[in-house]
Amino acid sequence: EVQLLDSGGGLVQPGGSLRLSCAASGFRFNTHAMMWVRQAPGKGLEWVSSITGRGGDTFYADSVKGRFSVSRDNSKDTLYLQMDSLRGEDTAIYYCARGKSEGAVDWFDPWGQGTLVTVSS
Amino acid sequence: QSALTQPASVSESPGQSITISCTGSSSDVGGYDLVSWYQQYPGKAPKLMIYDVNNRPSGVSNRFSGSKSGNTASLTISGLQADDEGDYYCCSYAGGATWVFGGGTKVSVL
């Protein structure tokens, strides 16, 4: 069974940092692009970042560019999101999701269960 | 990267059909056949229901169908059932390896 397990969320002060993890199982991790999607409380979904299967290419939404960094360790089947200079508007549930293939996203399936990040003083 | 436009809510009786629209521009919905739809129950992760405009993943009921005309994509749910209640989001490729979601539509079964 394909599974994604998100972790690493928590309460952080504005300007602080946090690293999220997404542990994958049940499929060949390095043959799929991966992405992060977030959902602010009571709001809709927002694509945050994507990374190709080998990790050679990364992409970011304008709202997080320069502050967030996506990476992956294919030897550990794990995806990461390093979040720096956090702001209140970054408060959200963060989901990891799998893309269609190594270099193509096309759709998001499946999704992790999500991890809550709260930025507040 | 402006969000795609969806109706905030749609309601209908059991057994009836509903259609949820998702309007973007020629830079996203109209420019690529890479529209997908997601169902989300409260407190749960989203689930893929339609991909590449009109394809259903294995295990998704054939009561769900997708289409696209110009800059507007649509999700139709036929034979509405109680467990179809939830939030539905469209998503489109927006060029430059970026993706944009719709604002979401709350579906209520009366």
Side-chain angles (χ1 to χ4, degrees):
Chain A
E1 180 188 4
V2 174
Q3 284 193 327
L4 300 172
L5 185 62
D6 302 315
S7 64
L11 175 63
V12 61
Q13 292 188 339
S17 298
L18 208 57
R19 188 177 84 155
L20 306 183
S21 299
C22 169
S25 61
F27 67 100
R28 287 185 60 193
F29 185 64
N30 63 358
T31 63
H32 288 267
M34 297 292 294
M35 63 285 308
W36 290 97
V37 176
R38 67 184 180 183
Q39 186 170 35
K43 302 297 184 181
L45 301 170
E46 179 189 15
W47 171 78
V48 172
S49 180
S50 300
I51 185 170
T52 52
R54 295 185 180 88
D57 293 296
T58 58
F59 308 95
Y60 301 92
D62 288 344
S63 57
V64 306
K65 200 172 293 181
R67 300 187 300 121
F68 290 11
S69 177
V70 62
S71 62
R72 61 193 297 161
D73 185 337
N74 286 345
S75 68
K76 296 182 178 179
D77 291 349
T78 302
L79 174 73
Y80 303 100
L81 185 68
Q82 177 67 41
M83 303 185 296
D84 298 323
S85 303
L86 283 162
R87 308 166 180 167
E89 54 263 38
D90 296 319
T91 294
I93 297 173
Y94 284 74
Y95 298 98
C96 67
R98 186 184 70 168
K100 171 188 173 183
S101 63
E102 195 281 332
V105 172
D106 289 13
W107 61 80
F108 308 82
D109 179 60
W111 297 55
Q113 87 287 2
T115 185
L116 176 62
V117 172
T118 303
V119 183
S120 175
S121 55
Chain B
Q1 295 175 347
S2 300
L4 306 175
T5 300
Q6 296 182 233
S9 63
V10 174
S11 301
E12 188 51 271
S13 302
Q16 299 302 305
S17 296
I18 62 169
T19 296
I20 302 169
S21 61
C22 170
T23 301
S25 70
S26 59
S27 297
D28 38 62
V29 175
Y32 312 91
D33 286 335
L34 292 173
V35 176
S36 51
W37 290 88
Y38 302 86
Q39 176 192 63
Q40 186 180 36
Y41 293 132
K44 299 296 185 181
K47 173 189 175 184
L48 177 67
M49 304 301 285
I50 294 289
Y51 66 94
D52 292 353
V53 176
N54 56 11
N55 291 280
R56 274 188 315 276
S58 173
V60 172
S61 170
N62 59 10
R63 296 185 299 105
F64 292 83
S65 62
S67 63
K68 190 184 85 167
S69 178
N71 297 335
T72 298
S74 299
L75 173 71
T76 297
I77 309 175
S78 59
L80 207 57
Q81 299 178 357
D83 64 0
D84 293 332
E85 278 202 346
D87 295 323
Y88 291 80
Y89 294 90
C90 62
C91 179
S92 173
Y93 182 64
T98 65
W99 298 83
V100 61
F101 283 90
T105 298
K106 182 177 181 62
V107 170
S108 299
V109 181
L110 303 174

